[in-house]
Amino acid sequence: MRPFSFYILFFTCLIFEISFGQKKILHAVASGDITVDGKFDEPIWEFAPIATDFVMFSPDNGKPENPARKSEVQIAYNDDAIYVAAKLYDDEPAKILHEITARDNFGTAEHFGVFINGLNDSQHDFRFFVSAAGVQMDCLFTNKDGEDFTWDAIWASKAVLTDYGWAVEIKIPYAALRFSKSDKQTWGINFYREVRRFRQLYTWNFIDAKINNESAQSGILEGIDNIKTPTRLFLIPYTSYYVNTNAHQKVAGDLRGGLDIKYGISNAFTLDAILVPDFGQTKFDNVELYLGPFEQQFTENRPFFTEGTDLFSKGNLVYTRRIGQTPYIPTGDNEIVQDKPNSIKLINALKISGRTKDGLGIGVLNAITENTSVTLRDTLSGAQRNITVEPAANYNVLVLDQRFRKNSSVSFVNTNVMRNGSYRDANVSALVYDLNTKENTYKLNGDFKYSYLSAFGEKSTGVNTSMAFSETSGKFRYYLGGQYVSDDYDNNDLGLTFQTHYHSLNAGTSYRILNPTQKFNSLTIFLDAYSEFENHTGRLQTGRVNLSFNSTDKKNDYYGWGLRIRPLESYDFYEPNTYNGQYFTIPKNMDAWVYISSNYNRKLAIDFNPSATFFDEKNRISYGFMLSPRYRINNHITVIYTFDFLRQENNTGNADFDDPSTVFARRFRSNYTNSLQCKYAINNKMTINLSARHYWAQVNNQEYMTLLPNGSLVSNPSYTNNKDQNLNLWNADLSYSWWFAPGSQLTLLYRNNAADFNRLLENSFARNMAQAVNNQQLNHIFSISLRYFIDYNQLRR
């Protein structure tokens, strides 16, 4: 190579490197009224500065966008909102993917997004996306927790397919954002584009995949002057009507009503409150037959407890399903519960959250539940008695989260549950820290938690603390960590902790490619080891080594596999359920799994996940698979079927948690789950959805045994109780949803469900299915719900 050519190449690369390392700047221009129609025919768009030269984020990190598919974005503003105009060019506009989905569902479509950080603190973005089909998606983003799509704002958009590609126009009211009171605003901003058919993601300001901080790599928006946050007062009254019936009761109707309030206390803080809440149309839980010593954990589906709750996730102390949970009802011999409540009634709840200009985040969540009593009836004598299963209770969460250096934080979290009378009260506090170097290359994070319980005159305290150090940038990364949990640590009144009295050590390393190779668009390999020891005896509770491989090929099909090896015997102190140091010996074992997911861009795609566990114990093995084909009939209709199967042969576990002699069983377990999801999107405001699930589980006990003090088992032929189990669960939801105005929704839902439990095993799938949908078992619920969004500012005008 000639010296002159070498210098040209060198300086060209240097210019690219410098430009990628700098923040781009875009100037917004003041405007009058703008109609959001995707036409860009207002004069302001003729001279507003243009953001262009997008750079690929994935898969080829750092590659400039193809000029044939260039992106151009402009921003204007007025006293009410900022406006975003995006022209997204494509040399093959007929191939632009534009599946219509429900809100917050990306589906198989091209997307444009705008990321706004009104405080420019490099830690917290408000993200707004629009698909080529006009579907809106929005979320809150933090570097620690990623994207939270449970947050919903009120904003306007219009997407239009054109002969040059597609265009989108967006209006984001100031009420949907948070920013300082300064006369001259400086915001962090980035623009995002997904070219779906190539699975390529682009951003305006380059995001270096080697750096684990997306928000810190945003560009700068200037030019917005003298704007004020309007009065942020939103009222959402709602009413709903429910019709319930089954084969054993007459049709019963129930009219409900309530109010949601959202109020901006200041530029930075917002109050959300619900009065007389109604969660009757919340998605059903995927209940399973759970044989272990711990409760089954469910996803929170109630909107109030999922929207904008990133602050309350600090320290992992809050499990909001505790609020208004299904009550535990102790019964005596021959007693049954009359009119068993499905849940404890929530009277009201509120949350206040926000962040000061100095980076202090403050969150308060409070909820009150009513006193819940039930009547128990003796089936032999007919005698009745009333018991309180949950007194009136107040649940409270306080979070103080101080951010600094644009990538680090220290938090204080407190949860408190107070019950009326002499019932159990609980208080848990935590100090949580997440410290990153200025270059976002290394991280030190951890926590210290302290619990205090008071119940019927007795008190207890406990601690739970952890610390981890990790490298967070580059192709090779690693981490080291440890945790200690004392005997009496307990946050289960408002949180969820399964295991206590242990300490653990863990370490891991990973490798990833940052740019595609000849065979892979993406590739990550993880190797980690985890060991956990019981505090008093020092016995190994868990010891495992994990190796996993995840990749996407050049056709954007995903392939993954993994191995999990437990090379030593371990000891389970929880399965015996005796709380006296008794343990159960678990043999050495190994898991292996494969996951294949074909590219969802194809009309027909398939997910397949076989797995197996091999034990160092005669004839003991577990195996299963998940198979899920999905077919996109057109841009309106998609059907997804999922079959999940698991078989455990000679599985060993506690067969009777109520028997003090600790009876175990060697058993065959089988689980079959059939799920069907169908979506028909009439347009981007109106959808019809069907969701159905049949779950069938069997436990066939082969031999009952007694657990010995040394953790081994001996045959127990004297135990004659039948603990076989045959469970069928059925759920089906057919819903119609119409967003008839911004923030306003009409929903119709037909739901039926059934549960059938038997000690007699039925091996025919057809007969189990027939029993599950037998009308004698089914509960039928029809409901209609109307929510109407009222903006105080529009009402005033």
Side-chain angles (χ1 to χ4, degrees):
M1 180 182 291
R2 293 181 178 180
F4 178 77
S5 300
F6 171 80
Y7 289 129
I8 292 292
L9 178 60
F10 174 79
F11 283 112
T12 300
C13 294
L14 181 62
I15 289 171
F16 270 103
E17 185 69 24
I18 293 174
S19 65
F20 284 166
Q22 293 179 336
K23 289 180 176 289
K24 295 180 179 179
I25 299 176
L26 179 66
H27 287 266
V29 292
S31 175
D33 292 336
I34 295 177
T35 302
V36 180
D37 54 12
K39 297 179 180 179
F40 314 137
D41 50 8
E42 289 85 2
I44 192 69
W45 300 126
E46 296 180 7
F47 60 85
I50 299 175
T52 186
D53 298 326
F54 279 46
V55 183
M56 190 181 296
F57 173 67
S58 175
D60 200 351
N61 189 237
K63 182 179 180 179
E65 68 179 344
N66 187 331
R69 292 186 291 276
K70 66 180 180 179
S71 309
E72 297 180 348
V73 186
Q74 299 167 282
I75 287 188
Y77 74 97
N78 57 23
D79 291 337
D80 299 320
I82 69 165
Y83 296 82
V84 183
K87 293 181 179 179
L88 308 166
Y89 292 85
D90 197 310
D91 55 345
E92 297 179 289
K95 294 184 179 180
I96 293 174
L97 297 171
H98 54 284
E99 180 188 9
I100 306 173
T101 64
R103 180 176 176 141
D104 286 338
N105 187 338
F106 281 77
T108 306
E110 312 244 328
H111 297 93
F112 170 79
V114 54
F115 305 165
I116 297 176
N117 186 327
L119 299 175
N120 196 28
D121 64 1
S122 299
Q123 293 203 39
H124 189 277
D125 293 345
F126 294 84
R127 296 187 170 184
F128 304 86
F129 303 86
V130 182
S131 76
V135 178
Q136 291 186 348
M137 292 131 282
D138 46 18
C139 71
L140 298 176
F141 171 86
T142 60
N143 294 311
K144 181 178 182 298
D145 300 318
E147 293 178 326
D148 175 13
F149 283 94
T150 61
W151 176 77
D152 288 319
I154 307 301
W155 49 291
S157 61
K158 179 67 176 180
V160 179
L161 295 174
T162 68
D163 56 358
Y164 62 80
W166 65 291
V168 60
E169 195 164 13
I170 300 173
K171 175 185 178 181
I172 305 174
Y174 298 131
L177 303 171
R178 303 293 180 271
F179 48 86
S180 70
K181 294 183 178 180
S182 302
D183 292 336
K184 291 186 176 296
Q185 298 286 324
T186 300
W187 294 357
I189 197 162
N190 215 342
F191 305 111
Y192 163 96
R193 180 182 180 184
E194 178 183 11
V195 183
R196 175 72 187 198
R197 70 179 182 276
F198 299 122
R199 290 293 185 105
Q200 294 174 344
L201 309 180
Y202 294 86
T203 58
W204 171 59
N205 203 79
F206 174 55
I207 296 178
D208 190 341
K210 295 192 297 294
I211 301 175
N212 190 30
N213 190 330
E214 291 184 16
S215 187
Q217 302 181 74
S218 294
I220 299 295
L221 180 66
E222 297 179 341
I224 298 179
D225 300 332
N226 302 312
I227 62 171
K228 295 181 179 180
T229 302
T231 301
R232 291 186 289 118
L233 175 59
F234 309 121
L235 306 175
I236 310 175
Y238 56 84
T239 183
S240 54
Y241 186 73
Y242 293 80
V243 178
N244 301 270
T245 187
N246 58 43
H248 310 288
Q249 75 172 40
K250 296 180 179 180
V251 176
D254 182 18
L255 179 64
R256 307 176 190 177
L259 178 68
D260 288 2
I261 301 173
K262 298 180 183 293
Y263 175 63
I265 301 173
S266 65
N267 278 1
F269 289 89
T270 301
L271 179 148
D272 293 322
I274 49 174
L275 307 176
V276 194
D278 175 20
F279 301 122
Q281 292 191 335
T282 301
K283 180 182 180 295
F284 60 78
D285 291 322
N286 291 332
V287 179
E288 297 180 356
L289 179 61
Y290 205 67
L291 301 183
F294 308 119
E295 63 185 289
Q296 184 180 353
Q297 183 176 358
F298 295 111
T299 303
E300 177 62 86
N301 295 314
R302 297 171 296 179
F304 177 84
F305 294 108
T306 60
E307 295 174 357
T309 56
D310 59 302
L311 266 178
F312 303 106
S313 66
K314 297 285 183 179
N316 196 28
L317 285 184
V318 180
Y319 177 50
T320 53
R321 290 296 296 260
R322 296 290 186 213
I323 304 172
Q325 64 185 339
T326 301
Y328 167 71
I329 304 175
T331 58
D333 295 338
N334 306 314
E335 283 187 326
I336 61 172
V337 182
Q338 297 190 164
D339 299 324
K340 180 179 180 180
N342 292 323
S343 62
I344 297 167
K345 185 176 181 181
L346 177 63
I347 299 174
N348 57 55
L350 66 84
K351 57 189 175 189
I352 299 173
S353 60
R355 193 171 294 276
T356 69
K357 64 179 181 179
D358 297 321
L360 177 61
I362 302 175
V364 176
L365 187 151
N366 186 271
I368 299 174
T369 57
E370 71 174 11
N371 181 83
T372 303
S373 300
V374 297
T375 299
L376 303 180
R377 182 172 63 85
D378 190 303
T379 56
L380 298 181
S381 66
Q384 296 185 356
R385 63 186 179 101
N386 294 324
I387 63 169
T388 298
V389 294
E390 178 73 7
N394 181 278
Y395 297 82
N396 192 78
V397 183
L398 169 67
V399 181
L400 303 175
D401 175 52
Q402 179 63 59
R403 292 177 178 168
F404 55 94
R405 212 168 53 202
K406 295 191 174 183
N407 64 359
S408 300
S409 66
V410 175
S411 310
F412 171 78
V413 185
N414 177 264
T415 67
N416 184 273
V417 180
M418 297 187 67
R419 296 179 173 90
N420 189 37
S422 60
Y423 289 84
R424 170 175 165 136
D425 297 330
N427 187 286
V428 183
S429 297
L431 179 67
V432 184
Y433 52 92
D434 187 349
L435 311 176
N436 296 269
T437 58
K438 184 178 180 180
E439 297 79 13
N440 291 292
T441 52
Y442 296 97
K443 172 189 287 192
L444 178 69
N445 63 287
D447 53 46
F448 179 85
K449 305 172 186 177
Y450 177 82
S451 66
Y452 173 84
L453 302 180
S454 175
F456 305 106
E458 296 185 2
K459 300 177 182 179
S460 65
T461 61
V463 297
N464 179 346
T465 183
S466 66
M467 179 182 291
F469 175 79
S470 56
E471 182 181 10
T472 56
S473 66
K475 292 183 177 180
F476 289 94
R477 304 181 187 186
Y478 65 87
Y479 73 90
L480 301 167
Q483 185 176 15
Y484 172 83
V485 185
S486 69
D487 291 27
D488 295 324
Y489 176 77
D490 189 348
N491 73 328
N492 285 300
D493 291 78
L494 190 46
L496 187 64
T497 295
F498 291 143
Q499 297 185 189
T500 58
H501 60 86
Y502 72 88
H503 56 280
S504 66
L505 297 171
N506 58 91
T509 184
S510 63
Y511 169 79
R512 71 208 64 216
I513 62 172
L514 302 177
N515 299 94
T517 66
Q518 290 184 347
K519 294 184 178 181
F520 298 106
N521 277 339
S522 68
L523 170 67
T524 56
I525 301 173
F526 296 92
L527 174 65
D528 65 88
Y530 178 83
S531 58
E532 181 179 293
F533 304 89
E534 202 272 334
N535 286 342
H536 301 287
T537 64
R539 289 185 177 274
L540 183 70
Q541 289 192 160
T542 302
R544 61 176 181 259
V545 178
N546 304 314
L547 174 65
S548 63
F549 173 96
N550 304 279
S551 68
T552 53
D553 64 14
K554 304 301 286 188
K555 295 182 180 180
N556 289 305
D557 294 317
Y558 170 85
Y559 299 92
W561 58 264
L563 291 172
R564 181 184 294 112
I565 302 172
R566 301 175 182 87
L568 301 173
E569 284 187 343
S570 57
Y571 303 91
D572 188 336
F573 288 81
Y574 308 94
E575 188 73 17
N577 203 36
T578 56
Y579 310 106
N580 61 0
Q582 176 68 70
Y583 56 84
F584 164 58
T585 303
I586 301 174
K588 294 176 284 186
N589 59 83
M590 180 183 74
D591 301 332
W593 57 267
V594 174
Y595 198 108
I596 299 171
S597 180
S598 61
N599 190 345
Y600 287 1
N601 286 355
R602 304 186 186 109
K603 281 184 172 290
L604 176 62
I606 296 176
D607 293 325
F608 181 54
N609 176 208
S611 61
T613 304
F614 306 92
F615 292 85
D616 185 20
E617 187 174 290
K618 185 178 179 181
N619 297 328
R620 183 172 178 182
I621 187 175
S622 298
Y623 53 90
F625 67 90
M626 182 277 294
L627 177 65
S628 180
R630 57 176 60 212
Y631 186 66
R632 191 174 71 256
I633 298 174
N634 52 41
N635 285 326
H636 297 267
I637 304 174
T638 299
V639 179
I640 304 172
Y641 168 72
T642 303
F643 177 69
D644 210 328
F645 166 73
L646 177 63
R647 172 75 167 176
Q648 297 171 277
E649 296 185 359
N650 287 303
N651 167 265
T652 306
N654 199 325
D656 190 345
F657 281 99
D658 297 324
D659 192 303
S661 63
T662 318
V663 176
F664 272 54
R666 198 174 306 281
R667 58 207 180 189
F668 283 15
R669 295 184 59 186
S670 301
N671 293 318
Y672 306 82
T673 306
N674 287 272
S675 302
L676 180 66
Q677 292 178 292
C678 302
K679 175 221 67 179
Y680 173 46
I682 301 171
N683 52 47
N684 58 23
K685 300 288 191 298
M686 197 179 298
T687 56
I688 297 174
N689 291 281
L690 170 66
S691 180
R693 174 181 182 261
H694 173 229
Y695 173 81
W696 170 33
Q698 261 193 2
V699 178
N700 186 355
N701 293 301
Q702 303 295 302
E703 178 187 12
Y704 293 109
M705 296 170 290
T706 297
L707 179 65
L708 298 179
N710 65 359
S712 63
L713 299 167
V714 295
S715 182
N716 183 355
S718 63
Y719 186 86
T720 57
N721 293 344
N722 179 11
K723 291 297 180 178
D724 291 349
Q725 301 184 57
N726 195 96
L727 175 66
N728 283 279
L729 300 172
W730 168 262
N731 294 91
D733 283 1
L734 176 63
S735 64
Y736 165 83
S737 175
W738 176 30
W739 292 91
F740 60 89
S744 302
Q745 184 181 25
L746 173 68
T747 306
L748 280 71
L749 172 67
Y750 167 68
R751 167 175 291 170
N752 62 44
N753 56 68
D756 178 68
F757 178 82
N758 207 311
R759 292 292 182 187
L760 300 178
L761 300 181
E762 173 54 69
N763 295 320
S764 167
F765 175 82
R767 284 194 287 270
N768 275 280
M769 182 69 180
Q771 183 64 18
V773 297
N774 186 334
N775 192 56
Q776 296 297 312
Q777 303 278 357
L778 287 173
N779 299 299
H780 303 271
I781 305 170
F782 175 79
S783 61
I784 180 170
S785 177
L786 176 66
R787 299 170 58 86
Y788 191 77
F789 177 82
I790 301 173
D791 184 345
Y792 166 79
N793 298 288
Q794 294 180 351
L795 195 65
R796 184 181 60 181
R797 288 194 292 265

